Amino acid sequence: MLKDRRILITGGAGFIGSNLAEYLKESNDLVVLDDFSLGKKENLSGLDVEIISASILDDSALNSIEDVDVVFHLAAVPGVQDSIERPLETSMTNFIGTVKILEMMRKKDIPSIIFASSCAVYGNTEKVPVDESTCPEPLSPYASQKLASENMIKNYREIYGIKGISARFFNVYGPKQDPNSEYSAVIPKFIRRCIEEKSPVIYGDGKQTRDFVYVKDLVRALSLIAEKLPDEHVFNIGSGVETSINELAETIINETGCGKEPEYREKRAGEVERSLADIGHIKGLGWKPEYSLKDGIKETIEWMRRSR
Ligand SMILES: NC(=O)c1ccc[n+]([C@@H]2O[C@H](COP(=O)([O-])OP(=O)(O)OC[C@H]3O[C@@H](n4cnc5c(N)ncnc54)[C@H](O)[C@@H]3O)[C@@H](O)[C@H]2O)c1
């Protein structure tokens, strides 16, 4: 486990960032940089972290950051749909924001960065499971912004010697994921509907698949990457298990005890049919997922019930 470092987490008040802060806080000194556009103060309550409430695009905030050993760069506008509606504004945060973080690191001699990339960079791949050597085919501005950030991180590695690694997250879920946001992921949406004794809504026939990775498994993988700083510059992080939306709905209906059947609506345009990570690469570092979907869902339901 990563120890005795001073760590900057951008986007640290968000879902994944605050789970990462919780995991790292015992043994490290943490600084969170977040503009609270999507993140929440309560996600960090009870955690002993320094908070800089500012945008990653704010030069004076970036200048104020001192003595950091490693950056976890998670700040982003994460919605695919939002990026389609606002390609320029989202590129400012999701791409220029990454360049600004890298420039700050270059000026301040910060040696390493772990970047929150996405399986979206792969697009609609024919072959599953998808491994890191698959040629990316981004299908949205969001995916292009992530891929451009990955490439820039690679440039900074080769030209300026900053060790940068991009972690391509598959579908992450768990406590602190916002069920109310317009861009909410399927798991918190289904759980909320089931807790309210309503049917989960499935678009299409529900046979489409995803690779759901529990946030506590994901943050362990991120910490391990930062600790080992391997030479590879891209890692998939998923569960390595393919789950259909029908299976997911059934698990959530059973675990919440909601007596409803799913409600089916028309398939949404542009949805990926199958998604599954080849996690051989990250397993080679000594990581493997510890949570089954059922166990992760149980903890998430408990958290959602407590926080209502
Ligand atoms: N949740 C997933 O399944 C998933 C999958 C793939 C990749 N990711 C990536 O992981 C990262 C974290 O995602 P999340 O699910 O925790 O989302 P989130 O919305 O909960 O967290 C993003 C955080 O970034 C902050 N932020 C946004 N713009 C900012 C700016 N200009 N300056 C400073 N802070 C800013 C938000 O306030 C928020 O706290 C993102 O980069 C996202 O693209 C997430």
Side-chain angles (χ1 to χ4, degrees):
M1 170 155 188
L2 209 57
K3 269 202 286 204
D4 303 328
R5 313 285 172 94
R6 185 165 155 83
I7 297 171
L8 171 66
I9 306 178
T10 73
F15 156 50
I16 299 171
S18 59
N19 275 283
L20 180 64
E22 204 174 321
Y23 181 70
L24 294 174
K25 70 158 196 314
E26 291 299 339
S27 326
N28 300 279
D29 182 17
L30 304 186
V31 187
V32 160
L33 172 64
D34 200 299
D35 68 356
F36 293 91
S37 51
L38 298 162
K40 294 180 195 149
K41 287 246 153 71
E42 69 238 36
N43 283 346
L44 294 169
S45 66
L47 294 186
D48 179 20
V49 296
E50 180 185 334
I51 299 176
I52 304 174
S53 183
S55 170
I56 51 169
L57 299 170
D58 178 340
D59 292 320
S60 65
L62 292 179
N63 271 331
S64 74
I65 291 164
E66 295 295 343
D67 302 324
V68 164
D69 302 306
V70 55
V71 177
F72 288 90
H73 177 38
L74 279 72
V77 189
V80 167
Q81 195 51 41
D82 196 10
S83 80
I84 292 169
E85 283 156 22
R86 303 185 305 133
L88 180 60
E89 294 89 333
T90 54
S91 292
M92 290 305 292
T93 299
N94 294 354
F95 177 58
I96 299 299
T98 305
V99 187
K100 288 222 176 218
I101 293 290
L102 289 165
E103 270 302 275
M104 180 273 289
M105 292 177 67
R106 186 161 78 96
K107 282 190 202 130
K108 292 177 182 272
D109 285 328
I110 301 176
S112 53
I113 178 169
I114 316 301
F115 170 60
S117 187
S118 168
C119 62
V121 300
Y122 292 118
N124 218 343
T125 47
E126 275 168 27
K127 177 186 122 292
V128 292
V130 64
D131 69 21
E132 293 87 348
S133 68
T134 307
C135 183
E137 298 271 2
L139 298 175
S140 65
Y142 170 74
S144 296
Q145 293 151 4
K146 289 290 185 190
L147 187 61
S149 290
E150 284 189 8
N151 287 336
M152 190 60 93
I153 287 168
K154 217 170 134 201
N155 292 154
Y156 271 70
R157 175 197 276 243
E158 281 152 14
I159 302 168
Y160 309 111
I162 291 176
K163 199 128 195 203
I165 295 164
S166 297
R168 293 178 177 160
F169 304 172
F170 280 64
N171 287 64
V172 192
Y173 73 97
K176 299 186 181 169
Q177 193 167 25
D178 188 353
N180 300 313
S181 127
E182 201 183 328
Y183 311 110
S184 273
V186 61
I187 290 186
K189 274 192 180 148
F190 278 11
I191 295 178
R192 190 184 57 178
R193 297 271 302 176
C194 286
I195 288 177
E196 291 171 354
E197 294 289 326
K198 293 178 186 156
S199 294
V201 178
I202 295 178
Y203 295 91
D205 61 10
K207 290 185 182 150
Q208 64 273 39
T209 63
R210 296 292 179 268
D211 181 324
F212 296 105
V213 57
Y214 192 52
V215 69
K216 289 187 184 168
D217 281 329
L218 176 104
V219 300
R220 267 192 311 109
L222 295 179
S223 169
L224 186 69
I225 292 173
E227 190 189 333
K228 298 216 162 168
L229 290 177
D231 286 336
E232 299 94 322
H233 67 92
V234 177
F235 284 89
N236 283 342
I237 310 183
S239 64
V241 177
E242 189 174 19
T243 305
S244 74
I245 300 301
N246 285 330
E247 287 163 340
L248 174 71
E250 194 187 318
T251 306
I252 293 176
I253 288 169
N254 289 340
E255 294 304 321
T256 51
C258 145
K260 302 280 179 188
E261 289 293 315
E263 186 184 313
Y264 289 87
R265 297 207 188 137
E266 200 172 325
K267 186 179 170 179
R268 287 185 293 206
E271 239 199 286
V272 170
E273 273 309 308
R274 292 183 72 187
S275 175
L276 175 64
D278 181 323
I279 54 171
H281 210 163
I282 179 84
K283 274 184 160 172
L285 288 188
W287 174 89
K288 65 175 170 37
E290 286 176 354
Y291 279 82
S292 66
L293 182 69
K294 193 169 157 187
D295 291 342
I297 293 280
K298 271 190 186 164
E299 279 198 11
T300 311
I301 293 170
E302 276 166 30
W303 176 81
M304 280 183 73
R305 286 211 157 108
R306 276 201 312 274
S307 60
R308 281 177 90 203

